[in-house]
Amino acid sequence: MAISTEFPLSEASLNGGNIVLELKGRDYTWWRQEIENVVLLSGIEGLRIRELDIFESINVDDTDGALLVIPLAFEGNIDTDETLTLTVTAGAIAGYPEAFTAQIPVSAVQESLYASSEFILTEATLYGSVITLTLNGRSFTYWESDLADALTLTGIEGVTINEIDIDRQTGTTAEIELSFDGTDFDTDSTLNFTVSADGISGYPKDLTTQIAVTAIKDSGATISLSPTTIVSPPLNKNFSVSLFITGAIDVAGFQALVWYDDYSLDYVRSTKGNLLPANAYFVDDEIFDNWLFRLSYVPIAATMLDGDVLNGNGTLATLTFLVDDVVESSIFLTDTYIVDRDGVRWEVEIENANVVEPHHDVFGDINRDGIVNIQDLVIVAQRFGSTGHNRADVNGDGLVDIVDLVLVATAIGGNAAPTLTPSGLDILSASDVKDWLSQAQQLDLTDPKLILGVNVLEQLLNVLTPKVTLLLPNYPNPFNPETWIPYHLAKDAEVTLSIYTLNGRLVRTLAIGHQPAGRYQNRSRAAYWDGKNEFGEKVASGVFFYTLTASDFSATRKMLMLK
């Protein structure tokens, strides 16, 4: 009989390890359910057979035999190297009347628990910090909930566990995300982690480790977001907020995490404040998302160079945001501190800011700019199908659809006759309005408000549909190397644009295809030429002609490429 293990047995690998008994030239005489009666383990307390698999008639060296795999379970602890004695009792092997005994060395392991963090742990960074617990000689329990129940944090009041993630591949590391809602502490402290036996697979004792936490003293300075109350601009408009410090004394650097609601705001950029010297090293513009809380944050930091320090009051940075939705939200600071000449961190008081909605509230004014116009219609159309709380859901039925758009059109008609500014032409097309009217025709048009709204849409379609087909001047002109060619279509047509040299040689044909009636003026709708011929080669500078053909319409204009 041959005895083998996949790896040398140690205390750490006993639980879940296997011993393989390879029997040559004979068979076992028992049923697999009787294995615990005929295979005995001794020498190590807490070791037992968990379960087994027997594969009969295994061919070994051309001799029929049997392979017996004995999975082990271990719940115990050894402090010195031990010997495992395995006995197969007499009669368990066919035709073999004696017991078979073998001994396998088992190495003891000194179990330990170690805590580490990616960054130095301070009072200011406790909240949200991730601690990695590494277990030597054993593995954590499989389920995070079991480890959470077995893990105790002591040493700093107010520190709790926010989330646990066990590495499934090794089972020996776990990431612990911390939460902290305790009071300030003025002296350096130690955070203790104790994992009870319930959190360690097959281990009967508790393990404890600790990690140092640096206290941060109060500097007396204040870093605030200014203004503290921001009246939200209209949708898709920018606003700025300053990071302002008061009471700075010999400040050599600072850091702040600026948090914001990324469903209502988009971070655009940050610029260095007027209190910072020109050569200060300034860090910004890296956005981090916290999807769990529907928030994002931007780290803002600066370090003074050449021995410079900050004193007094002034702006550290100016942050610009874009409004995605006009709703109440907050912009707030965390992990905010200053650093002195010696690199010591100091606490600061912080003051946050609130974004509030404008006082005016006009029915149908989706972007909250105080008036109802084409832009509001487009926003409603862009949000078709949205559910839940949404300003575009003007009838409050929980769904943004064609009814909401028609009601906004009613509000436009109620204020004045619909007019189109150049910006309105950029965001609205005749085909858009045709589609809206087609959907509106499916409504029950007995409500006077809906009838008025449909009339407004019909007027808009009339304004957006040119009376005549035109070819307009390209822009820019002169150009290098690309240009846009606008045109109007009074009716649906197949559109082709041909470009010729001054002597009439065809350079390029742009088959634009079937286009509905409308104004094709802005860069997203006008015809585009990249300054290349039909072979993809850049053309030389000079005068060119472009001809637009649309059904029975044809017109030609001149343009100039300068390099």
Side-chain angles (χ1 to χ4, degrees):
M1 179 181 291
I3 297 181
S4 63
T5 59
E6 185 177 3
F7 305 104
L9 283 184
S10 70
E11 181 184 1
S13 62
L14 274 178
N15 190 42
N18 295 320
I19 298 176
V20 179
L21 302 183
E22 186 178 316
L23 185 61
K24 297 182 178 181
R26 295 183 183 271
D27 289 321
Y28 295 109
T29 60
W30 67 84
W31 293 99
R32 55 188 293 182
Q33 291 87 346
E34 301 171 349
I35 183 63
E36 293 184 0
N37 298 324
V38 294
V39 176
L40 308 177
L41 303 177
S42 60
I44 298 179
E45 186 177 353
L47 183 65
R48 60 182 175 83
I49 297 174
R50 179 166 50 87
E51 60 182 49
L52 60 90
D53 289 313
I54 299 176
F55 301 94
E56 302 293 347
S57 300
I58 300 296
N59 291 326
V60 180
D61 296 331
D62 298 325
T63 302
D64 288 341
L67 189 70
L68 174 63
V69 179
I70 304 178
L72 303 177
F74 178 58
E75 295 182 3
N77 182 50
I78 59 176
D79 297 324
T80 59
D81 294 349
E82 301 285 356
T83 299
L84 168 62
T85 299
L86 182 145
T87 301
V88 179
T89 60
I93 302 173
Y96 191 77
E98 299 179 9
F100 176 84
T101 299
Q103 293 185 321
I104 305 172
V106 179
S107 302
V109 174
Q110 182 60 50
E111 292 86 359
S112 62
L113 184 67
Y114 177 70
S116 62
S117 61
E118 184 176 0
F119 305 103
I120 296 175
L121 206 59
T122 71
E123 177 187 354
T125 61
L126 267 177
Y127 184 90
S129 287
V130 175
I131 306 299
T132 300
L133 294 183
T134 302
L135 189 58
N136 179 49
R138 299 285 177 150
S139 59
F140 291 111
T141 55
Y142 185 81
W143 299 109
E144 279 86 355
S145 57
D146 292 338
L147 180 56
D149 293 338
L151 181 58
T152 304
L153 275 58
T154 59
I156 299 177
E157 186 177 354
V159 179
T160 55
I161 300 169
N162 186 42
E163 187 175 353
I164 294 180
D165 184 18
I166 298 174
D167 185 339
R168 300 290 188 200
Q169 291 185 334
T170 66
T172 59
T173 61
E175 291 187 343
I176 315 297
E177 183 179 300
L178 303 179
S179 182
F180 178 56
D181 59 1
T183 57
D184 293 343
F185 48 93
D186 297 325
T187 58
D188 295 348
S189 299
T190 300
L191 183 60
N192 305 307
F193 297 83
T194 299
V195 180
S196 71
D198 293 336
I200 306 173
S201 180
Y203 189 66
K205 298 181 180 181
D206 298 349
L207 289 176
T208 299
T209 187
Q210 55 188 208
I211 191 168
V213 182
T214 304
I216 301 180
K217 298 179 181 179
D218 188 5
S219 67
T222 298
I223 293 182
S224 59
L225 291 166
S226 179
T228 56
T229 301
I230 304 159
V231 178
S232 177
L235 200 66
N236 299 324
K237 299 296 183 180
N238 290 346
F239 70 87
S240 296
V241 60
S242 295
L243 198 64
F244 194 85
I245 189 170
T246 56
I249 300 176
D250 292 341
V251 175
F254 77 90
Q255 173 183 299
L257 300 187
V258 184
W259 293 76
Y260 61 95
D261 180 354
D262 54 15
Y263 276 68
S264 60
L265 302 175
D266 277 339
Y267 172 74
V268 179
R269 62 181 174 272
S270 292
T271 55
K272 188 186 299 183
N274 58 19
L275 191 63
L276 301 183
N279 66 345
Y281 179 67
F282 185 70
V283 179
D284 74 318
D285 285 348
E286 186 175 8
I287 302 173
F288 296 86
D289 297 323
N290 187 319
W291 60 268
L292 184 63
F293 297 103
R294 293 178 50 176
L295 295 171
S296 293
Y297 68 88
V298 181
I300 305 294
T303 300
M304 308 311 118
L305 304 177
D306 300 329
D308 288 336
V309 291
L310 308 179
N311 288 284
N313 310 327
T315 300
L316 300 173
T318 299
L319 296 88
T320 301
F321 294 92
L322 173 71
V323 178
D324 272 344
D325 203 357
V326 183
V327 297
E328 291 189 2
S329 63
S330 296
I331 305 174
F332 61 94
L333 303 174
T334 65
D335 302 280
T336 301
Y337 56 83
I338 59 177
V339 180
D340 63 19
R341 298 172 186 263
D342 299 322
V344 178
R345 297 181 180 184
W346 294 79
E347 277 188 345
V348 294
E349 294 294 325
I350 60 174
E351 294 181 358
N352 300 318
N354 292 315
V355 180
V356 299
E357 297 186 36
H359 295 301
H360 57 75
D361 190 9
V362 180
F363 179 84
D365 178 19
I366 311 302
N367 65 356
R368 302 302 297 276
D369 62 356
I371 58 174
V372 186
N373 55 20
I374 304 302
Q375 291 178 334
D376 300 298
L377 279 178
V378 173
I379 294 170
V380 175
Q382 290 172 342
R383 298 186 183 183
F384 271 5
S386 298
T387 58
H389 179 70
N390 194 318
R391 284 192 58 81
D393 178 24
V394 294
N395 68 346
D397 65 354
L399 175 68
V400 181
D401 56 14
I402 187 62
V403 176
D404 300 297
L405 186 139
V406 173
L407 289 175
V408 172
T410 301
I412 294 177
N415 293 330
T419 57
L420 279 177
T421 62
S423 62
L425 291 172
D426 286 344
I427 63 177
L428 197 60
S429 69
S431 59
D432 293 331
V433 181
K434 278 184 179 179
D435 182 56
W436 299 343
L437 281 169
S438 176
Q439 296 181 56
Q441 299 303 323
Q442 309 303 315
L443 301 176
D444 180 12
L445 295 179
T446 57
D447 187 328
K449 291 183 178 180
L450 295 180
I451 294 174
L452 175 58
V454 170
N455 289 338
V456 171
L457 293 178
E458 290 173 344
Q459 294 177 54
L460 281 176
L461 178 60
N462 185 56
V463 173
L464 287 166
T465 304
K467 301 298 183 289
V468 295
T469 299
L470 292 174
L471 176 62
L472 303 174
N474 67 300
Y475 63 91
N477 192 30
F479 63 95
N480 177 32
E482 57 185 4
T483 188
W484 285 261
I485 301 171
Y487 56 93
H488 291 174
L489 293 180
K491 58 183 179 180
D492 300 354
E494 288 287 332
V495 178
T496 301
L497 187 73
S498 301
I499 299 169
Y500 302 89
T501 61
L502 184 61
N503 61 10
R505 179 176 59 85
L506 179 65
V507 175
R508 180 90 170 268
T509 297
L510 303 175
I512 299 174
H514 183 81
Q515 298 290 298
R519 302 171 187 267
Y520 297 84
Q521 294 182 203
N522 61 23
R523 292 193 175 195
S524 64
R525 293 168 57 76
Y528 167 75
W529 183 42
D530 58 6
K532 297 179 181 179
N533 62 21
E534 61 180 330
F535 303 108
E537 302 166 335
K538 294 182 179 179
V539 301
S541 299
V543 175
F544 295 86
F545 293 94
Y546 56 97
T547 298
L548 181 79
T549 302
S551 297
D552 56 355
F553 173 85
S554 180
T556 301
R557 283 182 173 271
K558 182 171 65 175
M559 59 184 171
L560 175 63
M561 176 186 285
L562 289 179
K563 295 185 179 180

